[in-house]
Every structure is written in C-alpha cells, then in structure tokens.
Amino acid sequence: MKINRIKVIIQTNNGRFGADHSFTEGLNLIGTDGKNTQGKSSIIECMFYALGLEEILSGQNDKALKPSLKSILEYNNVDYNVIESDVYLEIENEKSKNITIRRSIKNSLRDNKLVSVYEGDLDNSLNKDIDYEDMYVHDGGAATNKRGFHKYLEEFLDWQLPMVDTYDGKEVKLYLQALAPVFFTEQKRGWGDLIAPLNHKYKIKESRKKIVEYMLAFDTLELEKEYYALKKREKEAKAQWKDKYVGLYERVTSAGFVLEGIAKNPMTDNPNLKMFKRYDNRLISFATYKEIVENKLRTINEQLECDFDEQIDEINTKRLTKLIEEYNNVEKLIKENKQSLSNLRNDVNVIEERLGIILNDLSDNKDALKISRYGSVKNWSIIKCVCPTCSQTINDSLLPNDIDAKTMSIEENINYLKSQKELFEFSLHNKKKELLDTESLIEEKTIKLSSISKEIRALKSQYITNTSNSSESFIRQKISIEDEIEDMLKLESYVLEVTNYYVELIKEWKLIIEELNEIPSDMYSIEDKKKLTLLRNLYYSYLLKFNFESIKFDKAELDFNNSSYSPAVNGFDIKYDSSASDNIRSIWAYKLALSQIASKDGRHIGFMVFDEPGQQKAINNDVRSLIHELADANVQVIVGITIEDELVIDQADEYGYNLIMLKNKAFRPV
C-alpha cells in the first residue's frame, strides 16, 4: 500500500484553512527550514488519524490531535476558532486499487468514529462523483465486522491478521493498531523504543514478538498454533483413553474376570485384549470358561426336555401372552422414539442455522444504526429495502405492491430481530431439552425391554418339567446359567467395541505423536532461521553505517532475544548500554532491517513514516546516511524533517525524492 495524497480542510470563524500534499513512490520529505513548530508533525499525525491508527500518539479520536485541528488555529500571530475540520487520505494497494478515506476531526454532523471510504481518487471523492461506504473505528467490531473500517483495511491490504493470546487467557486479533508503530515512527514516543508499545488495553501477550513474527512471515506463528492444538488433542486423547480404560476395567472385574493386554495410558500398538477367569484354582481363558458354562446348560436342557405346550396352565398362558404383547409395544415405542430423535436432531440443525442468519442480520443492523448515529447519510440498501443486485425496491411483505405498508426503521428492525433471536433461542433450548428427554426415554424403554425379555424367558422356564425327573433346582440353575451366558455375550460384545475404539484412538495418538515430532523444538523453521540471520546481518551493517559507537562487538556476538527479538550482545540488551543518540541509531537500523526483509519476503504495509528522525542531536552525517538508506528502501518513505543541513537534501538528490517544503505554517488560508 502507498499514500498518494492527503488533504486537510479546516473551517474557521474567519475563512477556510488547509493543506493539500501529494506523495510519490520512493522518498518523500516534509521539510521545514530550521524550525520544528510549523506543523509537519500535524500533517503526519493526520495520516495516522485517517487510518484510525492515532493511538500511537497516546490518544484516541480527536484527543490525539493538536489544537490547530480542533479548537484554535494560529496563523500570523492571529488565533482562529476551528468550526469544522476533515482529513482526506488517498491510498492505493498492490492491486492498484485507489480509495479515499474521509474522517472528520471536528464536525457537528459527523462523529470522530465515522469513516467514509470512497472508491476512487481524492478529487472525485470531494466532487461526490463516486460511490462510497460509511464505516466505523474505535468501537466494538471495528476489526471484525464487515462495516468495521479496520476489517476493511485488513482486506484492502490482502492480509489475514492472526489470533494471538492475551494476558488474561483470551484470544484476540493482532490488531492493526499494534502493528502501526513498526511503520509509523512519530516524534514523541516513537523514538523511545525499537517498536513503541501502545497502551496496554489490548493486553496482547509478547506483543513485539508476535508483531515481528507476523511482519517477517515466520512459520513459528503457525507452528506454535499447531503445537498447542496438537497438545490439546494429546490431552484429550489421554483423557479419552483413561476414561475408556476405567470403564472397561470396572466392567470386566465386576463380571469376575481378569483383564490383560491393555495399558492405563495410550499405546502405539493395537491392543490385544484378553479376559481370564479363575476356575478350580487356575486361570482359564474367557473362551474356555464360556464353553464350560455352555456345556452345563446343554446338560440341564437335556434333563428338562418336555413339551411346553402341554404343561403350561391357563393363568400363566394369559400372563405370557400379555408379556409378549407388552414386549412388542415397547419395541414399537422405541422404534418410534428413534425416528422422533432423528427428526429432533434435524430440527435443532435447522434452528441453529436460522439463528445464525438472525445473529448475522442483527450484527449488520446494529452496525447500520451505529454508523447512522455517527452521522452517516449513506442510503444503505439494508435500510431502504433495495435489492443490492438489481437496485429494485423490494417489500418484506406478502401484501400486493399496490397496498401501502409502513417500512420498519432500523431500531424497529433491530428490536424485531432481537425478539426473533429470543424466540429461536427459546425454541432451540426446548428442542435440545426434548432431544435429551427422548434419548433418556429410549434408554429407559430399552432397559424395560430387556427386563420383559428376561421375565418371558423365566416364565417359559418355570413350566419346563420332566415327568420322570422334575427338579426346581435344575430350573433355577438353567435360569442362572442363561443369565450368565447372556451377560458374557454382552461383555464380549462390549470388549470388542472397546477394542475397535482403541484401534481408532491409537491411530489418532500415533498421528499426534508424528506431527508433534515434526515440529522443531525451538518452533523455528529453517526459513525462519535464515530470516533471523538476515535480520542480524542487516541490523549490524546498518549500525556500522550509522556510526553506532556505544558498544564494540563482532557480528557473531549479536543475537536477538526470542521473547521480543530485541538485539542483544552476549545476552545483554543493547539499549541498556547505549547512549541516547545511539539508541536512535539502533531504532533506525532495526526498522530498516525489518522493512528490508518484510517487503521482500514477509508482510509490509508498503510505506514507512519517520517524524523527525534526527532525535537526541544525532550527528548530521549520520542523518545523511539514514536518508541515503531510506532513499534506497524497497517501500515508500515519508520523512518529516527539520532541514538544518542542506547536505541532507543533497544526499537525497542522488536517488530522487519528493520535497514538500512547508513555508511558515502547514495549514494556510485556501
């Protein structure tokens, strides 16, 4: 992205004042002749303000700006009252798309938070010859909602800002405001640190580290995200394994068996689950014990064979018939409830989808109301019921077109959507409760079905007699053994189910381990390390060019702290042993080194702004060296500078530059 032009319009009680300056690719100097009070910083600050990045000036909205833009403008020793003031900034992205941003500083009809974005250059924007959209900054959703200006600016830059951790354990976007100090170095706080920190309201953890990693397109951002996601999956897999193991162990031991072939913690080999039974003072396999029990049942059945139909009496025949009828009814009810369960799940999905649409519409309407209250007069289609495709009037009504019906206002629409949201949330809550109740009912009826089945079997067994050898003891044994065999079959089925579960979980576990092993232990890819080496080399070479003298060290002794990427020599941060002027040189070197890498193989906004880089009485020769390097940068550079040495300009002449020389004051009568 580059800045093409800035125009400031200030309406006072005695006429209009302003400034209008165009910028070129390469080096641009906003200069004054020996005085640092003529308003070049105000011009630069208006750029920050137009982009909604004025927080780097330690303020927000008009509070960040000087009185000449919002209250009293002094010109030729006369004070003028500011009535209205606006900033227009024309910018262009890598795809050669031009937009013009308008943001009011003082305007009774427009709030500071309102930003108008015109699809075209500044002249056409002023003539109202092109379409525009109203957006907002410094309010909830400005970085995430589609009407948020910083969301729009992020897309204009073709960036995808990552989510980063905060000190209070949340995740937030790496806001443009946090990145701004890399590209904008303002006069007061900007020269206090390598990357001047914003106020702590964003609470971004290791903010400088995240900023540098994003700018240089380090893989470590994705590697860290992937690592923590894998560790979360690892923890979940361990918990799932342990929960399943506890359930399996309790189920097997309560049935009187001994379990082998599975560990308490995840394994990489498929489980070989085996069950053993202590029988006649020895351990035998599940299959052997099952065969013994089945042989016992076979022997008893042979002794109890008879004709059931001839033995059963009339009363118990009726009881049995009733039980069979009840069994069929319960089985039918379970089937019906399973179908209801499927329908309920579908209903929940439909309601959740509809609720999502309502929430999106509600967000859009709240944004529309917000911008309207900020002073927007843009005729949004969302307000006017106009089709965004064909621009024809549409009616949110089934009434014929010739019947006049009142259209809801934005406030009414929001209230309606809120009521719809509450209605659908209530419906969703009830459907989910109904779904849980149905699942419980199915479980309850399944248990009842099993109970009826046992009673039917017991009733049948009760009347199995043998005329020659009838024994109540045999009947009881038969029922007991049948129950044991049924329990064993269920246990066998459960163990098989658990085995299959573990097989799939082991696949997931092995995949997690493999992916974790692929992540470098220091979280830096080979490309990241190459960029860090290049950063060190560039930074060191710039220090030499700028005559940094506070510490003498070899390049091999220079490193960058992994928690903030601050330059350090033998583990000690350079700034603590540097003079004030050398700290300024260090900032020059650091920002130029970052810019060189980011513009070629990373993410760069496309321009850099330096306001008064000759701080702390940096020697003019070194300022000339800085100008030399800035003129040779890969990006657009805008420098606010007090020209005390004509050689500074001569140095820039070699490369060509655009000089904006302010005469007397930045804001003049127009």
Side-chain angles (χ1 to χ4, degrees):
M1 184 178 100
K2 66 187 182 77
I3 296 174
N4 289 339
R5 185 177 167 193
I6 187 168
K7 187 177 181 72
V8 181
I9 301 173
I10 304 171
Q11 186 66 46
T12 74
N13 62 324
N14 193 22
R16 177 177 288 191
F17 288 73
D20 190 348
H21 303 294
S22 296
F23 303 94
T24 62
E25 293 183 0
L27 179 61
N28 297 265
L29 300 178
I30 305 175
T32 57
D33 54 356
K35 294 181 180 179
N36 190 21
T37 57
Q38 294 175 312
K40 60 182 176 299
S41 293
S42 295
I43 298 291
I44 290 172
E45 289 166 5
C46 284
M47 296 177 191
F48 308 159
Y49 183 80
L51 293 169
L53 302 175
E54 72 276 7
E55 283 172 284
I56 61 177
L57 304 171
S58 299
Q60 199 176 82
N61 299 317
D62 63 321
K63 295 181 179 65
L65 300 177
K66 292 180 172 61
S68 59
L69 290 160
K70 58 185 179 180
S71 55
I72 302 294
L73 185 151
E74 186 270 327
Y75 186 77
N76 286 343
N77 297 318
V78 178
D79 288 344
Y80 298 90
N81 294 324
V82 176
I83 299 171
E84 283 187 2
S85 51
D86 289 271
V87 178
Y88 290 81
L89 187 72
E90 181 187 326
I91 59 177
E92 181 180 339
N93 65 10
E94 286 187 342
K95 297 177 182 177
S96 299
K97 179 180 179 180
N98 276 45
I99 63 168
T100 298
I101 303 159
R102 178 195 176 189
R103 190 174 174 202
S104 297
I105 300 169
K106 182 176 183 179
N107 192 313
S108 60
L109 300 178
R110 289 172 61 94
D111 193 278
N112 296 142
K113 296 177 182 178
L114 183 65
V115 178
S116 299
V117 177
Y118 295 83
E119 298 286 335
D121 62 35
L122 202 150
D123 283 332
N124 285 325
S125 304
L126 288 169
N127 296 331
K128 314 296 185 193
D129 289 339
I130 50 179
D131 196 19
Y132 72 95
E133 291 291 347
D134 281 334
M135 304 177 194
Y136 62 94
V137 289
H138 305 314
D139 207 340
T144 53
N145 291 355
K146 64 183 180 182
R147 293 297 172 187
F149 175 62
H150 283 166
K151 175 64 175 174
Y152 172 86
L153 196 56
E154 178 185 346
E155 293 172 353
F156 183 77
L157 290 165
D158 197 23
W159 282 0
Q160 288 185 329
L161 295 172
M163 300 299 290
V164 292
D165 294 329
T166 63
Y167 285 106
D168 52 8
K170 298 177 182 177
E171 265 199 339
V172 297
K173 184 175 282 192
L174 184 60
Y175 297 113
L176 286 170
Q177 294 96 313
L179 291 164
V182 179
F183 312 111
F184 290 102
T185 307
E186 55 88 22
Q187 183 178 358
K188 294 179 181 176
R189 298 175 64 249
W191 298 108
D193 205 344
L194 295 171
I195 299 175
L198 290 179
N199 59 49
H200 297 290
K201 81 172 193 177
Y202 299 114
K203 301 179 182 178
I204 295 174
K205 194 175 181 180
E206 297 180 316
S207 59
R208 185 189 294 175
K209 180 176 187 290
K210 301 304 179 188
I211 289 166
V212 173
E213 288 172 351
Y214 181 73
M215 268 195 67
L216 301 186
F218 273 8
D219 295 323
T220 188
L221 276 171
E222 287 302 318
L223 288 173
E224 284 185 3
K225 184 185 290 185
E226 184 181 348
Y227 174 79
Y228 289 117
L230 285 169
K231 294 301 287 184
K232 183 180 178 183
R233 283 168 58 192
E234 182 186 44
K235 184 178 179 181
E236 290 171 350
K238 281 183 178 179
Q240 291 168 7
W241 185 287
K242 186 176 180 180
D243 288 346
K244 189 61 72 173
Y245 177 85
V246 170
L248 174 66
Y249 182 82
E250 290 178 352
R251 180 85 175 263
V252 171
T253 53
S254 65
F257 290 92
V258 176
L259 180 66
E260 290 186 3
I262 187 71
K264 292 181 180 180
N265 295 310
M267 310 184 308
T268 54
D269 296 325
N270 284 339
N272 183 20
L273 288 176
K274 293 180 180 179
M275 291 183 290
F276 295 90
K277 183 81 170 181
R278 187 165 295 282
Y279 186 79
D280 286 344
N281 295 320
R282 61 191 178 95
L283 282 176
I284 60 174
S285 69
F286 178 88
T288 301
Y289 181 72
K290 180 182 174 186
E291 186 178 352
I292 291 171
V293 175
E294 286 174 341
N295 286 337
K296 282 184 180 180
L297 181 62
R298 196 176 297 111
T299 300
I300 291 174
N301 281 338
E302 288 173 358
Q303 294 173 340
L304 294 176
E305 283 182 356
C306 70
D307 187 352
F308 170 77
D309 292 334
E310 293 179 1
Q311 299 299 325
I312 195 167
D313 61 32
E314 183 179 353
I315 295 175
N316 287 303
T317 300
K318 291 180 179 178
R319 173 63 181 155
L320 185 61
T321 302
K322 186 176 180 182
L323 283 172
I324 292 171
E325 182 181 353
E326 186 178 3
Y327 181 93
N328 292 334
N329 289 336
V330 173
E331 190 175 41
K332 181 181 177 183
L333 185 61
I334 291 173
K335 185 177 180 180
E336 290 172 351
N337 276 282
K338 284 184 176 180
Q339 181 59 49
S340 297
L341 188 65
S342 176
N343 294 337
L344 283 168
R345 284 173 177 156
N346 184 61
D347 290 345
V348 166
N349 290 336
V350 170
I351 293 171
E352 285 179 336
E353 183 179 347
R354 178 59 184 154
L355 185 58
I357 293 171
I358 289 171
L359 290 172
N360 188 57
D361 288 347
L362 184 58
S363 175
D364 287 348
N365 276 270
K366 283 182 176 179
D367 278 356
L369 180 60
K370 186 182 292 184
I371 292 171
S372 175
R373 286 175 175 171
Y374 289 160
S376 173
V377 293
K378 173 72 175 176
N379 291 326
W380 285 25
S381 58
I382 194 172
I383 303 171
K384 294 295 184 180
C385 294
V386 175
C387 175
T389 303
C390 65
S391 299
Q392 294 187 48
T393 301
I394 54 175
N395 290 321
D396 188 15
S397 170
L398 296 177
L399 295 173
N401 289 336
D402 57 351
I403 297 179
D404 187 23
K406 182 183 177 183
T407 303
M408 287 193 294
S409 66
I410 307 178
E411 291 89 344
E412 291 170 334
N413 210 24
I414 288 172
N415 290 333
Y416 170 75
L417 287 167
K418 282 182 177 178
S419 66
Q420 288 290 292
K421 172 178 169 286
E422 291 172 1
L423 179 64
F424 275 85
E425 285 175 340
F426 179 75
S427 177
L428 183 63
H429 172 78
N430 287 343
K431 285 291 181 184
K432 285 186 174 180
K433 184 178 183 302
E434 193 177 346
L435 190 147
L436 290 173
D437 291 344
T438 303
E439 287 177 335
S440 298
L441 182 61
I442 291 172
E443 185 179 354
E444 177 189 327
K445 294 302 178 185
T446 301
I447 293 171
K448 185 174 182 179
L449 195 69
S450 176
S451 174
I452 295 171
S453 176
K454 284 186 177 182
E455 191 174 352
I456 290 172
R457 191 173 67 250
L459 193 59
K460 287 180 178 179
S461 298
Q462 182 180 348
Y463 294 101
I464 298 177
T465 60
N466 189 299
T467 53
S468 60
N469 187 20
S470 177
S471 171
E472 183 180 346
S473 174
F474 280 128
I475 294 170
R476 287 178 177 173
Q477 286 181 51
K478 174 183 170 63
I479 293 171
S480 175
I481 292 170
E482 284 180 339
D483 285 345
E484 185 176 7
I485 290 173
E486 183 179 354
D487 290 341
M488 288 174 67
L489 289 173
K490 287 180 180 178
L491 180 61
E492 189 175 33
S493 175
Y494 171 72
V495 170
L496 178 61
E497 177 188 321
V498 171
T499 300
N500 292 333
Y501 177 86
Y502 273 133
V503 167
E504 293 303 313
L505 192 56
I506 285 170
K507 289 179 184 177
E508 167 74 358
W509 180 257
K510 288 167 76 173
L511 185 63
I512 291 170
I513 299 303
E514 287 172 8
E515 291 180 2
L516 278 171
N517 289 335
E518 289 174 2
I519 296 176
S521 58
D522 59 3
M523 295 294 175
Y524 292 106
S525 68
I526 294 172
E527 287 302 313
D528 292 346
K529 290 176 181 178
K530 287 180 181 178
K531 289 176 183 177
L532 273 175
T533 300
L534 182 57
L535 180 64
R536 182 191 67 181
N537 294 343
L538 286 170
Y539 175 74
Y540 185 78
S541 69
Y542 284 131
L543 286 184
L544 295 179
K545 290 176 182 179
F546 300 147
N547 294 312
F548 180 92
E549 295 179 340
S550 292
I551 312 170
K552 299 298 182 184
F553 58 91
D554 295 327
K555 184 166 61 177
E557 299 175 273
L558 178 65
D559 200 0
F560 286 89
N561 185 309
N562 288 351
S563 65
S564 64
Y565 299 110
S566 298
V569 174
N570 296 324
F572 293 96
D573 197 313
I574 282 178
K575 73 177 180 181
Y576 296 118
D577 290 318
S578 300
S579 66
S581 59
D582 268 349
N583 266 324
I584 299 300
R585 294 180 181 93
S586 177
I587 294 170
W588 296 349
Y590 191 79
K591 291 202 171 184
L592 275 167
L594 279 180
S595 179
Q596 286 277 33
I597 303 170
S599 61
K600 291 179 179 178
D601 195 20
R603 301 180 184 92
H604 200 290
I605 199 169
F607 62 85
M608 289 192 296
V609 178
F610 291 111
D611 190 10
E612 288 292 355
Q615 297 282 311
Q616 297 296 336
K617 300 189 182 301
I619 297 172
N620 282 331
N621 284 338
D622 301 329
V623 176
R624 289 199 294 272
S625 296
L626 172 66
I627 296 297
H628 174 93
E629 297 302 329
L630 292 176
D632 197 31
N634 298 317
V635 297
Q636 183 188 46
V637 179
I638 299 172
V639 181
I641 187 167
T642 302
I643 301 173
E644 297 176 338
D645 182 359
E646 290 298 328
L647 289 175
V648 171
I649 302 299
D650 295 340
Q651 185 71 52
D653 269 333
E654 297 178 23
Y655 293 87
Y657 65 96
N658 174 39
L659 175 62
I660 299 169
M661 200 69 184
L662 301 182
K663 305 283 187 183
N664 190 11
K665 291 291 184 179
F667 304 121
R668 302 169 61 82
V670 294

